[in-house]
Amino acid sequence: MLAEETPPELSLPLFFPSLPSPSPPGCSGLLADTMTDVPVDSGASARAAAPEGLSLAEEEELRSELAKVEEEIGTLRQVLAAKERHCGELKRKLGLTPLDGLKQNLSKSWHDVQVSNAYVKTSEKLGEWNDKVTQSDLYLSASSTLEDWNEKLTQSEAYKKTQETLSQAGQKTSAALSNVGSVISRKLGDMSSYSIRHSISMPAMRNSATFKSFEDRVGTIKANGLSDM
């Protein structure tokens, strides 16, 4: 019989890393050298450090006041939201559109701008600049020059002739329009009188002897023509 071959012994270090052996009491082991202590947070350490110059009692008082203020802010926001909804319902019942609200807001904004310090100061500054400009020598000289030119222009022969021509043309146009109106009125009057005379004279013409004689002749000619057929 063949002897049973014993398998080679497996060496543990090939498959598992070497683990540190427990350190004997009083000796620092590998874990103690590589790890540091992690402190456990308590309620006091979780809070931010108090600013310098404040005691613990003062800090607690300020935190309590801050909580109250934040609570009041939340309450005011709820009240404001309710007021806005009520305002919207009132506007809807009154028939006010968002455009009306926009116009009102713009008007109020413009009023606020007009009464603001910046607008008032700007207006005052512009007024001062206007006074300085109108009182300057350059402005006065330019105004005087323009007045001289205007006076010379209005007194020139060309200006007077042009003014007279325009005046005559206006008078002729007015006269022509007046004549046209008179002619049209006269024609309308003649037509209305002719219509009245014509309506009055027709019955008299029918009853006249000449008209009756003409009717008799027409009737005789018509009768003779029918008898010949």
Side-chain angles (χ1 to χ4, degrees), residues 4 24 38 41 43 57-58 67 70 74 90 95 99 111 164 173 188 207:
E4 294 181 357
V38 178
D41 292 337
E58 292 174 345
E70 290 178 346
L90 293 176
L99 182 59
H111 179 267
E164 292 177 358
T173 303
L188 292 175
N207 295 325

Side-chain angles (χ1 to χ4, degrees), residues 70-144:
E70 290 178 346
E71 184 179 359
E72 291 176 356
I73 291 174
T75 304
L76 291 175
R77 286 176 178 173
Q78 294 177 359
V79 173
L80 178 61
K83 292 293 184 181
E84 288 179 347
R85 288 193 297 269
H86 185 57
C87 179
E89 292 177 357
L90 293 176
K91 288 182 178 180
R92 180 176 55 80
K93 291 179 180 180
L94 291 173
L96 299 177
T97 61
L99 182 59
D100 296 330
L102 179 60
K103 291 180 180 179
Q104 184 177 0
N105 292 335
L106 290 176
S107 178
K108 184 178 181 301
S109 299
W110 176 240
H111 179 267
D112 294 341
V113 169
Q114 288 179 327
V115 298
S116 63
N117 293 330
Y119 183 86
V120 173
K121 290 181 179 179
T122 303
S123 300
E124 292 177 354
K125 186 63 67 176
L126 291 175
E128 293 177 0
W129 289 348
N130 183 46
D131 294 339
K132 290 180 180 179
V133 170
T134 53
Q135 293 176 4
S136 63
D137 295 337
L138 179 61
Y139 181 85
L140 295 175
S141 177
S143 299
S144 178

Side-chain angles (χ1 to χ4, degrees), residues 197-228:
R197 290 196 304 270
H198 182 69
S199 60
I200 294 174
S201 60
M202 285 301 293
M205 183 183 295
R206 288 180 178 275
N207 295 325
S208 62
T210 304
F211 189 82
K212 288 183 177 181
S213 176
F214 179 75
E215 283 184 343
D216 293 340
R217 291 181 182 179
V218 171
T220 303
I221 294 172
K222 184 176 179 181
N224 292 334
L226 290 175
S227 61
D228 293 337

Side-chain angles (χ1 to χ4, degrees), residues 165-181:
T165 303
L166 293 175
S167 178
Q168 293 175 1
Q171 293 177 359
K172 290 181 179 179
T173 303
S174 299
L177 293 175
S178 178
N179 293 333
V180 170

